[in-house]
Amino acid sequence: MTAEADHPSLDNLHFDNRFIRELPGDPEPDNFRRQVYNACYSWALPKRVKQPQLVAYSREMAEALDLSPEICESDDFSQIFVGNRLATGMQAYAMCYGGHQFGHWAGQLGDGRAIILGEVINSQGQRLTLQLKGAGLTPYSRSADGLAVLRSSVREFLCSEAMHHLGVPTTRALSLILTGEQVVRDMFYDGNPQIEAGAVVCRVAQSFTRFGNFQLFTARDDIDSLKKLVDYTIRTDFPELGEPSVPVYLSWFAEVCRRTAEMIVHWQRVGFVHGVMNTDNMSILGLTIDYGPYGWLENFDPDWTPNTTDAKGRRYRFGNQAKIAYWNLVQLANALYPLILRAESLQTALLSYTNTFDAGWQAMMAAKLGLNAFEATEDEALVNDLFALMTAAETDMTLFFRQLADIDLATESQCQADFLAMLTNTSYEPLSEELIERASLWLKVYQLRSLRDGRSHAARRDSMNAVNPKYVLRNYLAQMAIDNAEQGDFALVNELLDVLRKPYAEQPGKESFAAKRPDWAKQRAGCSMLSCSS
Ligand code: AMP
Ligand code: MG
């Protein structure tokens, strides 16, 4: 019997590996660390590992790939998506890119521990690129090992799927598989290396191209390769814009600006902090990509960042994400300049970021508050006062907006009492007299403003509940799932995956996943602070 006959379905995936077929590749076949010039990718085979063990897979992603549960639970699935076997049609390679890290140009970075297996065309005709993260060394691994540990892989796997179900543009995750091998990590770079379990996540996206892929060519004055990659990206991922030309380059860049703005508005809506918005971690498709030391706001705090590596400058704090995305787009504009040679037109295109973000943010805030539309003259102060109140009271962002929907504003004194009780319950600090007074005043303004819109309580509540999730991947929940998984118990990973499928639904019986952060999690590593070590 042939291998194909043994494993009919995984070998029957339809691959169309266009990226490597149409773009210049690195001629060097061997896998060693180096600078790679004039190429979009290098060959890199995944490392063979001892004992793959499936931790979890995404049902929805499997369905999109036309894979049945039987296939996903088969040994062959684990062997393939840990990197031990290439299915028919797979071609393994790593992408070449550079990037600005923490505001500084870092030169060549590349997929140091990501290996693409190919591009599947599914039965709907969609292009889905499969990528293993943590499957071993590539020419871009620099001084690192090409591996990933279970803790960061659980976080990437769960958050990718959670974000998708929240309606946030994101790369997806098909599977999470233990390698059966050990990896050494010094989690806080403090001279305390530990042995951790190795794992591989299979990520899925239309493409994994980043701002940094374009930047590296321009930095090296390789305009020929830059043009090839831009033309390819437009033809493959933005065909609706037309055949590449200078005007199309401009409308494409404006579209990247627009998509990036929409992504950031979503992050601000759900309280997501990416943590490492370097230009190599910015998707050209406007997808959230590279889940490292990300985190979710618990107590509302615009200055919060989960990333200990960024603790000093707080460049990537919650309240700075919109500015940083713009800064990153300016770097992309600089990278595209040699093809366009019109600085003013690029400036104009950048306006589509600002305009989309401003309009999107206002509409988003109005929706979170259950208002028909954002009326800048009044609502700006309404939002600012609320954020100041929530910051001072250390109010849980997710719980507050969800429970605000339950306050019936048509009642007079009852709604004041309900609101103060709700604010007390959802805050991590007790409310001072002064805060109680500010809260009462805020509610009065909000009540008048909201009643003017004329919505019924039920209509207001339902519309708010559609944009204010009840369930997000709270930092401590992810850590509990990790703690259990490290003991060989994957039930919580799978239960969280399930609950986070319907983040806007009430889900009776699952309320413990929508609880305030417990005290033990306030300062615990992994819950409130994370490093880039993963
Ligand atoms: P990040 O900002 O974490 O997305 O990664 C920055 C760069 O470091 C990228 O080029 C990664 O591929 C690379 N990198 C991160 N961790 C590893 C690792 N364990 N092995 C090899 N390369 C890595
Ligand atoms: Mg990265």
Side-chain angles (χ1 to χ4, degrees):
M1 226 195 229
T2 63
E4 270 95 317
D6 267 342
H7 316 290
S9 299
L10 283 165
D11 283 297
N12 285 345
L13 284 170
H14 173 219
F15 282 92
D16 172 42
N17 301 332
R18 192 168 167 185
F19 190 88
I20 53 172
R21 190 172 66 240
E22 295 191 9
L23 287 169
D26 174 6
E28 172 61 58
D30 289 343
N31 190 352
F32 59 93
R33 296 151 213 246
R34 59 184 180 269
Q35 292 291 307
V36 174
Y37 296 95
N38 310 108
C40 291
Y41 67 92
S42 302
W43 301 115
L45 282 175
K47 174 182 185 282
R48 288 191 66 84
V49 299
K50 285 196 201 110
Q51 214 175 28
Q53 184 186 5
L54 183 70
V55 174
Y57 72 92
S58 156
R59 196 170 68 208
E60 295 80 7
M61 213 49 252
E63 272 165 23
L65 288 160
D66 310 307
L67 300 176
S68 66
E70 294 70 45
I71 290 174
C72 296
E73 282 151 31
S74 70
D75 179 58
D76 197 42
F77 179 89
S78 292
Q79 296 291 348
I80 288 175
F81 292 108
V82 86
N84 276 353
R85 178 173 97 79
L86 292 184
T88 306
M90 286 181 174
Q91 290 173 290
Y93 62 93
M95 281 174 139
C96 183
Y97 55 80
H100 279 88
Q101 297 185 313
F102 297 94
H104 304 282
W105 177 244
Q108 176 181 303
L109 295 168
D111 285 334
R113 56 163 165 182
I115 295 179
I116 290 178
L117 298 176
E119 302 168 50
V120 170
I121 307 294
N122 71 6
S123 56
Q124 312 291 307
Q126 293 163 321
R127 180 174 299 273
L128 298 167
T129 303
L130 306 179
Q131 184 186 67
L132 302 184
K133 184 164 175 181
L137 293 170
T138 77
Y140 308 102
S141 297
R142 298 180 292 154
S143 59
D145 57 10
L147 305 175
V149 293
L150 180 61
R151 108 185 108 77
S152 59
S153 304
V154 166
R155 286 169 49 81
E156 170 127 26
F157 175 80
L158 285 178
C159 203
S160 306
E161 292 305 283
M163 292 281 268
H164 167 73
H165 294 296
L166 281 165
V168 184
T170 177
T171 62
R172 303 287 303 276
L174 170 66
S175 55
L176 167 57
I177 301 174
L178 276 164
T179 60
E181 302 198 356
Q182 296 182 328
V183 176
V184 177
R185 284 289 180 272
D186 184 354
M187 190 164 43
F188 283 105
Y189 307 113
D190 61 358
N192 285 309
Q194 305 278 324
I195 288 178
E196 300 191 45
V200 172
V201 170
C202 178
R203 308 198 284 194
V204 186
Q206 192 180 321
S207 94
F208 286 92
T209 306
R210 301 143 190 271
F211 292 7
N213 293 66
F214 303 93
Q215 286 184 282
L216 185 59
F217 289 133
T218 305
R220 289 169 164 174
D221 207 18
D222 178 4
I223 308 310
D224 187 39
S225 300
L226 173 72
K227 183 171 185 320
K228 283 181 181 148
L229 182 60
V230 170
D231 290 358
Y232 172 86
T233 301
I234 291 171
R235 288 194 179 112
T236 311
D237 292 325
F238 299 82
E240 65 283 2
L241 297 178
E243 265 302 288
S245 65
V246 171
V248 170
Y249 294 155
L250 281 165
S251 51
W252 169 63
F253 177 64
E255 174 65 9
V256 175
C257 290
R258 197 188 61 71
R259 289 192 192 192
T260 304
E262 284 187 346
M263 173 185 79
I264 304 287
V265 169
H266 279 293
W267 290 2
Q268 303 308 108
R269 173 174 65 86
V270 299
F272 175 80
V273 188
H274 182 284
V276 203
M277 292 175 69
N278 293 333
T279 57
D280 53 304
N281 291 339
M282 297 292 294
S283 146
I284 203 69
L285 300 176
L287 306 174
T288 312
I289 192 171
D290 279 10
Y291 292 90
Y294 68 81
W296 295 82
L297 279 193
E298 289 157 343
N299 51 299
F300 185 83
D301 178 3
D303 287 336
W304 186 69
T305 172
N307 185 356
T308 53
T309 315
D310 190 27
K312 270 210 176 129
R314 294 183 184 262
R315 180 179 172 85
Y316 298 141
R317 63 191 184 270
F318 180 69
N320 214 31
Q321 298 192 118
K323 270 196 203 145
I324 291 292
Y326 184 83
W327 189 91
N328 288 341
L329 285 162
V330 170
Q331 308 315 311
L332 179 62
N334 288 338
L336 301 178
Y337 179 79
L339 295 184
I340 296 169
L341 301 173
R342 290 186 208 158
E344 258 177 43
S345 307
L346 280 164
Q347 280 292 352
T348 308
L350 275 164
L351 285 176
S352 71
Y353 175 83
T354 328
N355 294 340
T356 308
F357 182 80
D358 289 347
W361 187 87
Q362 294 190 347
M364 176 273 283
M365 278 315 309
K368 280 185 87 66
L369 290 167
L371 303 174
N372 290 343
F374 193 89
E375 289 169 17
T377 41
E378 271 173 80
D379 297 343
E380 210 137 308
L382 186 73
V383 169
N384 288 341
D385 290 350
L386 176 62
F387 284 173
L389 184 64
M390 291 173 75
T391 308
E394 300 197 10
T395 308
D396 189 283
M397 179 180 174
T398 308
L399 292 180
F400 176 87
F401 280 104
R402 187 73 184 187
Q403 295 182 23
L404 184 62
D406 293 331
I407 309 285
D408 186 349
L409 299 171
T411 65
E412 202 39 66
S413 56
Q414 189 59 38
C415 91
Q416 274 286 348
D418 290 349
F419 179 70
L420 289 178
M422 183 277 270
L423 188 64
T424 305
N425 286 337
T426 57
S427 295
Y428 292 95
E429 283 296 313
L431 300 185
S432 62
E433 290 289 319
E434 188 242 329
L435 278 184
I436 292 177
E437 212 166 293
R438 271 166 67 187
S440 303
L441 273 178
W442 183 84
L443 186 75
K444 275 190 195 135
V445 177
Y446 173 57
Q447 189 183 18
L448 286 176
R449 170 69 186 84
S450 179
L451 291 176
R452 217 173 60 211
D453 277 355
R455 285 190 186 179
S456 71
H457 174 56
R460 171 176 157 273
R461 187 192 54 216
D462 293 350
S463 75
M464 288 173 77
N465 284 351
V467 295
N468 294 321
K470 176 155 182 159
Y471 299 97
V472 296
L473 184 58
R474 290 176 175 275
N475 311 315
Y476 81 91
L477 292 175
Q479 188 57 43
M480 282 167 55
I482 290 165
D483 289 344
N484 291 3
E486 285 177 341
Q487 301 304 313
D489 176 0
F490 310 140
L492 193 50
V493 172
N494 282 287
E495 193 178 0
L496 270 174
L497 176 66
D498 198 44
V499 170
L500 295 168
R501 282 195 167 102
K502 294 199 173 85
Y504 302 99
E506 282 299 320
Q507 303 193 50
K510 299 293 180 187
E511 289 84 359
S512 63
F513 294 100
K516 251 163 107 172
R517 175 194 63 214
D519 280 344
W520 61 260
K522 194 165 181 190
Q523 297 301 338
R524 211 195 125 183
C527 296
S528 55
M529 330 169 263
L530 293 129
S531 74
C532 287
S533 163
S534 56

